[in-house]
Amino acid sequence: MKDLTFGPFAAVGKATEDILASLGKFGEFFIEILRSLRDVSTWSPLLVQQMRRLGVDSIPISLFLAMFTGVVLALQASYTFTGQIPLYFVGTLVGKTMMLELGPVLTGLALSGRVGANIAAQLGTMRVSEQIDALETLAYNPVAYLVVPRVLAGVLMFPVIVIFANALGISAGLVTAVNLLDMSTQDFIRGLRLFYAPFDITFSLIKTTSFGLVITVIGSFMGFTTRGGAEGVGSSTTRAVVISSMLILVLDAFWAVVLLQ
Amino acid sequence: MLLRGAPSFSASWFVDFDWPFADMIEFINVSKAFGSKVVLKGFNLKVNEGDTVSLVGFSGSGKSISLKKIVGLIAPDEGTIRVDGLDVQSLNRHELYELRRNVGFVFQFAALFDSMTIAENLAMGLLKAGGYTEDAIRERIEESLRLVELEGFGPRLPSELSGGQKKRAGLARAIAFRPKYLLYDEPTSGLDPVTTAVIDRLILRMRDELGVTSIVVTHDMRSAERISNRIAMLYDGRILEEGTPEELFRSTNPIVRGFVDGRPELVEQGNRELQGLSPDGSMP
């Protein structure tokens, strides 16, 4: 009988086992985060500091991205519409695209690099240098102390960042349209208001909140489960960015199916 | 369940209650494996009040893991670890935190929080415990730093300290609670002989001035001889030999002799004897 302990079947079996084991660990970790929310006295003094580090400090990169996205959207819309569609639709396209898609998703992807990598590297280094064990020996709940303030900061601050990003992206589109496309401000705003629905902002914020949750939880999980030394920290950081970026795109599609259909 | 029917667990109760068990740390038939790698199998060790026990053994033999089990950082697969009669595995989180305030842990690379000053590192545990005024915390920090000969180092960051100073700062953090037990994970690894002697002197000082019971994981036999009243050698997942430093240094067990004298051929001979093979490796 052929030995099945080697070869493709064994490899697939091992990979499946590893994935299921990781999912199980992730489930336990997420439940521990929810439980640790009760330890308010541990996480609350650190929340504002994390909101500043993960949120306020991320605003410049998000605004930079949003500004150039707004410029390019206005120019591409005009290029596409020329001679076929009234030019005031440039405002419609810039506004809708920024709020529904590019504002949240580009910000999410940028923050998965900046915030997710930062969290994974920081907690990973603390794990391999036994600082997390040291916290436990000092009678701290490390999830309440290290993870909860980061996750709450992500969930609370990412929507704020995206509000700024959306506003700046649309403003950049307006400035581009007025200065480079011979459009008037009134035309751009007319287009912007044409298909505007208040739900657009709600949709944008719901998406961003979920991105904030995913980026901070995945970064924390990867950091907490880091093994080995510098190489382990490096691979945890990479995995945090890759997995959270992929999940952002999956969630993007998920919310479109659930909320826009 | 040792706690069943006992009064509710709190720091004051831990100190005041007339506990029927002797003050000690006890490993009873402890086993632990990581995947297919069995680290401990039927590990037994008793550390009595006032003891300073050095746990020696080869790299990867499970010494550090044994220490982490005492404070519940790693759970055993089988067996029981008792601290003052309390089964560590049966404690809930709150009870475990209370226990940890009685057991200071000195990490191999100090594990200081690098974004905080030394004083802030020392204050962490006290702040969490509550019940200390700001002055009391400041006083305790200064006293702890004085005990480890680091007066005036409170405002410095860990990155501004040498390896030996970091280890002493780690010790100061561990004693900030004035614990009953101190666990040292390779306190002298990577240090020059003079700094090693300083750390050894501090370990003895903790015993004499604070009256702590200690377990020291180390590879350094000279250091173990200086600081311990008992040495236990961990080999193949269990205690191979245990006794006073003199007894261990006079051991006729080839593995112990090989470890003490740094002679791998004796260790190989001892291995063959353990496996029941003749000295040339053949079946007898």
Side-chain angles (χ1 to χ4, degrees):
Chain A
M1 191 170 148
K2 196 172 177 184
D3 185 4
L4 293 178
T5 53
F6 297 101
F9 289 113
V12 170
K14 179 81 177 62
T16 310
E17 193 184 327
D18 288 348
I19 289 168
L20 290 176
S22 295
L23 284 174
K25 274 188 199 167
F26 180 77
E28 280 177 18
F29 184 75
F30 192 71
I31 289 168
E32 184 56 33
I33 293 174
L34 296 178
R35 273 201 205 119
S36 300
L37 283 168
R38 286 182 301 191
D39 194 353
V40 181
S41 63
T42 300
W43 59 258
S44 58
L46 301 159
L47 183 58
V48 173
Q49 182 194 33
Q50 290 302 331
M51 285 169 80
R52 183 182 59 75
R53 277 190 189 165
L54 305 186
V56 178
D57 292 354
S58 298
I59 288 177
I61 177 75
S62 308
L63 294 187
F64 181 83
L65 270 175
M67 186 175 74
F68 284 95
T69 306
V71 170
V72 172
L73 270 179
L75 293 173
Q76 287 187 346
S78 146
Y79 168 77
T80 309
F81 296 162
T82 304
Q84 308 292 325
I85 298 171
L87 211 51
Y88 60 81
F89 275 106
V90 168
T92 310
L93 190 133
V94 170
K96 281 280 183 189
T97 312
M98 277 310 296
M99 280 190 278
L100 296 180
E101 183 65 14
L102 292 183
V105 172
L106 284 183
T107 304
L109 291 173
L111 295 189
S112 77
R114 189 191 178 275
V115 172
N118 178 293
I119 292 174
Q122 204 174 13
L123 300 190
T125 306
M126 288 186 77
R127 169 61 77 197
V128 299
S129 61
E130 296 185 310
Q131 290 178 52
I132 293 178
D133 286 344
L135 266 180
E136 293 211 49
T137 62
L138 295 172
Y140 278 81
N141 171 357
V143 173
Y145 187 80
L146 297 171
V147 179
V148 172
R150 285 170 169 81
V151 172
L152 289 180
V155 168
L156 294 172
M157 288 305 289
F158 281 21
V160 177
I161 297 170
V162 166
I163 288 172
F164 282 115
N166 286 347
L168 187 74
I170 293 167
S171 304
L174 167 68
V175 171
T176 306
V178 170
N179 290 294
L180 300 178
L181 303 177
D182 291 332
M183 273 179 75
S184 66
T185 305
Q186 288 79 4
D187 277 350
F188 186 91
I189 290 174
R190 182 182 164 204
L192 189 64
R193 296 176 64 176
L194 196 59
F195 292 106
Y196 169 75
F199 181 72
D200 293 352
I201 293 175
T202 310
F203 179 74
S204 184
L205 297 184
I206 288 172
K207 264 171 51 159
T208 314
T209 307
S210 68
F211 296 166
L213 182 72
V214 160
I215 290 168
T216 49
V217 171
I218 296 287
S220 301
F221 177 69
M222 291 303 164
F224 253 64
T225 51
T226 300
R227 292 283 175 271
E231 195 181 334
V233 175
S235 82
S236 289
T237 308
T238 307
R239 269 183 294 153
V241 175
V242 171
I243 293 174
S244 52
S245 299
M246 286 164 65
L247 285 176
I248 283 171
L249 298 177
V250 171
L251 277 173
D252 187 35
F254 170 80
W255 288 123
V257 171
V258 171
L259 298 176
L260 296 185
Q261 279 203 322
Chain B
M1 277 284 288
L2 283 163
L3 287 173
R4 192 170 292 156
S8 69
F9 195 91
S10 72
S12 60
W13 171 77
F14 195 91
V15 173
D16 299 336
F17 187 66
D18 188 14
W19 191 245
F21 298 93
D23 294 329
M24 66 168 79
I25 293 174
E26 204 174 1
F27 290 83
I28 304 162
N29 283 322
V30 172
S31 298
K32 180 71 187 176
F34 293 98
S36 59
K37 190 179 185 235
V38 180
V39 183
L40 297 176
K41 40 186 179 188
F43 173 65
N44 288 289
L45 182 69
K46 199 181 275 186
V47 179
N48 294 312
E49 189 182 8
D51 274 351
T52 300
V53 175
S54 284
L55 189 58
V56 299
F58 295 95
S59 300
S61 59
K63 304 184 296 294
S64 301
I65 285 164
S66 307
L67 279 195
K68 289 186 176 178
K69 285 187 184 10
I70 296 171
V71 285
L73 289 176
I74 296 177
D77 297 335
E78 285 172 29
T80 309
I81 296 133
R82 290 205 176 121
V83 179
D84 291 347
L86 296 167
D87 179 355
V88 174
Q89 288 318 113
S90 72
L91 302 179
N92 65 33
R93 179 176 283 181
H94 178 67
E95 292 163 347
L96 195 58
Y97 288 166
E98 295 287 355
L99 171 78
R100 285 172 180 167
R101 293 190 178 117
N102 264 302
V103 185
F105 201 114
V106 183
F107 288 87
Q108 186 176 359
F109 300 106
L112 296 167
F113 306 118
D114 41 23
S115 59
M116 297 180 188
T117 64
I118 300 302
E120 287 167 343
N121 266 278
L122 266 67
M124 282 283 284
L126 300 171
L127 287 169
K128 180 68 183 166
Y132 292 88
T133 62
E134 216 169 281
D135 285 343
I137 290 176
R138 195 176 304 117
E139 203 172 295
R140 181 62 67 85
I141 290 169
E142 282 168 11
E143 196 188 340
S144 301
L145 288 173
R146 182 188 58 75
L147 276 168
V148 300
E149 300 166 13
L150 281 180
E151 293 103 323
F153 279 67
R156 296 204 197 177
L157 286 168
S159 58
E160 296 169 319
L161 269 55
S162 69
Q165 287 169 339
K166 278 183 191 164
K167 296 217 180 198
R168 281 148 66 190
L171 173 56
R173 186 176 63 185
I175 62 169
F177 264 124
R178 298 294 177 266
K180 190 170 163 186
Y181 300 101
L182 267 177
L183 311 177
Y184 298 87
D185 189 6
E186 308 214 14
T188 59
S189 68
L191 299 179
D192 64 76
V194 175
T195 313
T196 297
V198 170
I199 297 285
D200 288 347
R201 190 178 72 218
L202 290 174
I203 292 173
L204 293 173
R205 190 175 186 179
M206 297 306 127
R207 183 197 65 191
D208 298 337
E209 292 192 23
L210 301 179
V212 292
T213 301
S214 306
I215 302 178
V216 184
V217 160
T218 184
H219 289 112
D220 185 338
M221 291 307 291
R222 282 191 64 186
S223 177
E225 188 184 11
R226 274 199 290 253
I227 59 176
S228 336
N229 63 318
R230 282 198 300 139
I231 301 178
M233 179 160 174
L234 182 58
Y235 185 76
D236 196 26
R238 53 176 70 94
I239 297 296
L240 181 66
E241 196 151 320
E242 187 186 347
T244 63
E246 297 75 31
E247 285 169 344
L248 216 85
F249 277 86
R250 282 202 311 267
S251 172
T252 53
N253 184 312
I255 295 172
V256 178
R257 283 247 57 82
F259 183 79
V260 170
D261 298 340
R263 293 172 61 191
E265 70 280 6
L266 282 179
V267 178
E268 281 165 26
Q269 180 198 326
N271 265 328
R272 284 195 294 272
E273 285 176 17
L274 274 182
Q275 290 161 15
L277 301 173
S278 60
D280 63 356
S282 61
M283 291 293 286

